[in-house]
Each structure stands twice: as structure tokens, then as C-alpha cells.
Amino acid sequence: MNSKKILIIGASGQIGSELSLKLRELYGNDNVVASDIKEGNEELMSSGPFEIADATDQPRIEALIEQYKITDVYLMAAMLSGTAEKMPMKAWDLNMNSLFIILNLAKEKKIEKVYWPSSIAVFGPTTPKQDTPQTTIMEPSTVYGISKQAGERWCEYYFNKYGVDVRSIRYPGIISYKTLPGGGTTDYAIEIFHEALKTGTYTSFLSENTSLPMMFMEDAIKATIDIMQAPAENIKVRSSYNLAAMTFTPKELASEIKKQMPDFKISYVPDFRQAIADSWPASIDDSEAKKDWNWDFEYDLEKLTTAMFEGLKVNAVKEN
């Protein structure tokens, strides 16, 4: 395992920061190089090598791969759904050009393995909403979704045409107490915990019965590492795998929070993100991931809620 030399691009982001620390735990601090266009949190910066790098700067990325003798790249840099709608061209540039840089380096055999995250945003209003299949109608209506769908096609193309060992997961909404929301449509499910502890109230930007697939960060990190550690012959899907854990609405999440905070109050003022959420699936069929590389989740809604409150309270104590 220690022959691995890993570069995480976008390591200061929501998933990247926690993934970097877990990979350092598994492969050794010096074998996992974190990079981002901005500095990360103190733990990320102090626990191993960190490099400032723009994901779209090919010479810089290539120099890092050569300097550290990188074998595996996790390309986590992306502009998320809510933010991307405000800056479409900038989002397209970041989300697509960063991927081409890495795929071409893998094609040239300068790296051995690539991880690139996709999203449920690849689906659209015409996709079956319940138990969305692995292979189905995909007509995304957001900039983020269009870039992720295009990325999936390119990943599969580079595997079929050039033998690039690229692996991918379609993440649902990811919930964590360690990092702040990053501009995604499912971020209400993180914000609600912060506001519950701070003010005892929350105004949701999605309507009360908007059902979306969600996952606790621990499970998302586990899935990411599991798919990268699986034997290449087990990875049958080279576009991106469906991934699921739980599905809930803002109303259902609020009800779970009220079990621990009976006085908690929620209101609903949907904004532009409501239309994005309405175009996404309500639940996901991830049987292919289960079959091919034994995926399974640990955290349901009750366990997630407890973990979020416990984690945020510990963080508050540390900050004070």
C-alpha cells in the first residue's frame, strides 16, 4: 500500500479535506499530497505536504506529479450546483478543463489511476425519480449537471479508447460537521444543524416535501476509498456509479432534529435552488455498486442526526 503516492486536487473543499486526512491515515502522511487554489484548515495543512495549485494550470499540476512521483490522482476540484448557476462559463472551465488535464496525463502514463467524482446532478427532470437506475435517461438542466454528465462520457471514453483506469461515483447530497457548506443545493441539510444550535430556528431554501438522496460524509469517504482499492476487473462501470444511503425531506430532517431539540422551529422560503432540486431524483438504485465492489452504507437519518450534533458540539468546544 505504501508504494502509492497520491495527489488530491481540491483538497480544501468539503469532501477533499476529509478525504485527504483519511488517505494520510491509510497510506502515510508523506505519501498523500494535498493541493488547492487556497489554503485548507490547520489539520490539513500541518498533517502532510500541501501545495497551492490551480486545477486548470496544467504545467503546475504536471510539475507536482513529477516532483512527488504521483501514482494516483483524486480530482475533487469543482464548482457546485448553486454557485455554478451564477457563473456558468467559469464553472464549465473549472469542471471540464481540470478533468482533461488529468485524463491526458493518465493517457500519457504519467499517473496510474484517477478518481473523479460525479453527482446525482447528471440526472434531470425526465429521469425516473424513484429508484433511479444506473443506466437511464440523463437530461440535466443545470450547468453543474451538464458538466458532470459530459465528464462521465469522457471518463468512459478514455477508459475504452486509451485504457485509462478512471473511477467515479455519483454522490448524493453529502452532510458533514467538519466543513462548511460549499454552494450546493443539498447544503440546507448542513446549514440546518448549525442554525439549530445557534438560534434554534432555520429557514430552508427548499420546500418542506423536497425529497433528495443524502449521505453522511463518513460513508462518502468510505465509498471513495473502497472503489479506488477494488481490483480493476471489478469496476464494470467506467462512467460513474450510482451511490445511495438515505432519502429524506427538509420536513423529515426537522422532525428528527426536534427529537433532540423539541423547541426547534423551521420555516420554508424556496429560492432558485428549488428548481434544481426538483430536477433531481428522490431516491437512487445503487445495486451495481453493491454487486461490483460490495458498497454498503452505515449511517441512516437517526444516526446521522446524532453524529452531526455531537460533532458540532465538540467543534464548538475546541473553538472556545
Side-chain angles (χ1 to χ4, degrees), residues 91-301:
W92 179 261
D93 180 50
L94 170 59
N95 294 359
M96 295 309 302
N97 289 343
S98 61
L99 176 60
F100 280 122
I101 288 168
I102 299 306
L103 288 176
N104 283 322
L105 288 169
K107 173 190 167 187
E108 293 160 14
K109 308 299 181 193
K110 292 181 178 176
I111 47 179
E112 296 170 11
K113 198 186 292 187
V114 175
Y115 178 79
W116 175 81
S118 189
S119 162
I120 58 169
V122 295
F123 303 119
T126 54
T127 301
K129 278 209 169 293
Q130 303 297 330
D131 292 324
T132 301
Q134 173 65 46
T135 304
T136 186
I137 298 165
M138 296 163 70
E139 294 182 325
S141 55
T142 66
V143 174
Y144 180 60
I146 292 165
S147 70
K148 286 299 183 183
Q149 188 196 26
E152 285 191 14
R153 303 269 62 80
W154 281 111
C155 286
E156 188 176 65
Y157 180 86
Y158 270 71
F159 170 75
N160 289 330
K161 187 87 172 174
Y162 308 116
V164 170
D165 188 356
V166 57
R167 304 171 185 210
S168 179
I169 286 167
R170 291 170 183 153
Y171 289 125
I174 306 296
I175 303 169
S176 169
Y177 59 83
K178 292 182 182 175
T179 47
L180 293 170
T185 299
T186 56
D187 280 349
Y188 86 86
I190 303 174
E191 291 176 1
I192 193 171
F193 289 100
H194 287 268
E195 291 303 313
L197 289 173
K198 196 189 302 181
T199 67
T201 64
Y202 179 64
T203 302
S204 171
F205 55 74
L206 297 182
S207 64
E208 62 180 348
N209 294 318
T210 304
S211 186
L212 288 171
M214 298 283 189
M215 181 173 290
F216 190 51
M217 181 68 84
E218 294 279 340
D219 281 331
I221 300 297
K222 177 182 177 295
T224 305
I225 291 168
D226 284 354
I227 193 174
M228 284 295 273
Q229 289 184 342
E233 60 270 20
N234 289 12
I235 308 302
K236 311 293 186 190
V237 176
R238 291 293 181 159
S239 52
S240 191
Y241 277 95
N242 275 3
L243 199 71
M246 65 197 109
T247 286
F248 57 76
T249 66
K251 185 177 180 181
E252 287 167 341
L253 179 54
S255 295
E256 197 64 39
I257 288 171
K258 283 179 184 178
K259 290 177 185 177
Q260 298 193 35
M261 295 182 66
D263 294 332
F264 174 71
K265 290 183 171 56
I266 186 168
S267 56
Y268 304 92
V269 183
D271 67 11
F272 73 97
R273 286 166 287 193
Q274 183 65 48
I276 298 174
D278 288 343
S279 74
W280 290 354
S283 58
I284 300 287
D285 175 1
D286 61 356
S287 53
E288 295 289 315
K290 289 175 177 172
K291 176 168 60 78
D292 291 354
W293 42 279
N294 299 317
W295 156 248
D296 202 6
F297 70 93
E298 183 183 343
Y299 287 82
D300 59 15
L301 180 54

